[in-house]
Amino acid sequence: MGKIQRRRKSEPTIALINIVFLMLVFFLVAGTLAQPIDGQLQLVETSELKGRAPPDALIIHQDGQLSYRGQRLLDVAAFTAERDAEQLAKVRVVPDRELDANRLVEISRALRAEGSGSVVIVTEQALR
C-alpha cells in the first residue's frame, strides 16, 4: 500500500517576520546617512525663561473677565471698538489655564462676530 504524504503548509508569520526584519535593517542604515550634529554644539537652554503674554494680546482671566494692556474691559465689544480692521485681522487671546472652555469658545465667537479675521489662542509649551 502506498502512503499518502501530506504537505505541511508553511507558516505565514515567518515571511512577515522576515519582511519586518528587512525593514528594520533598512531604516537603521537609512537613519545613519543623515549628517550628525556637531559634537561641540551646545543647544540653547530655555527652561529657565519666564514666559509672559504678548503686549497686544487680549487676556481672559480665570473668572472670564477680559483685560487688554492692564486695563479691564467690560466685554468683547469694548475691545473691538478701539481697533481698526488691520488690528482685528488677527487677534491674539491668552486664556488663563483654569478658564472654562465654554467661556473661551464664547469669547472667540464674539470676537469673530465683531469682525475679527482670526483668533489665535496663545498657550504655554512645556517641555519636560
Side-chain angles (χ1 to χ4, degrees):
M1 293 216 151
K3 289 186 178 179
I4 299 176
Q5 289 186 345
R6 291 184 140 188
R7 260 188 153 183
R8 281 184 76 190
K9 289 186 177 181
S10 64
E11 288 286 328
T13 55
I14 300 294
L16 185 60
I17 290 171
N18 288 338
I19 291 171
V20 170
F21 179 71
L22 289 172
M23 288 176 59
L24 176 66
V25 170
F26 170 77
F27 286 118
L28 284 173
V29 171
T32 58
L33 297 178
Q35 287 290 344
I37 295 177
D38 184 8
Q40 302 297 323
L41 179 68
Q42 296 292 321
L43 297 176
V44 176
E45 178 71 34
T46 60
S47 63
E48 299 298 318
L49 290 178
K50 298 291 182 197
R52 63 171 207 194
D56 62 339
L58 177 65
I59 309 296
I60 309 173
H61 300 274
Q62 180 180 358
D63 59 358
Q65 291 292 318
L66 305 175
S67 65
Y68 180 73
R69 295 189 177 183
Q71 301 275 333
R72 287 282 178 158
L73 302 173
L74 295 175
D75 55 11
V76 172
F79 174 76
T80 58
E82 299 179 15
R83 312 279 166 279
D84 59 21
E86 184 179 325
Q87 292 171 322
L88 288 176
K90 185 175 186 180
V91 176
R92 288 187 177 93
V93 174
V94 181
D96 187 275
R97 181 181 309 227
E98 300 297 322
L99 177 69
D100 182 45
N102 292 323
R103 178 70 175 140
L104 178 60
V105 171
E106 175 186 314
I107 291 170
S108 298
R109 285 183 179 156
L111 284 166
R112 294 292 302 225
E114 291 285 331
S116 174
S118 66
V119 177
V120 178
I121 298 173
V122 180
T123 62
E124 174 186 31
Q125 180 179 7
L127 297 176
R128 299 191 205 281

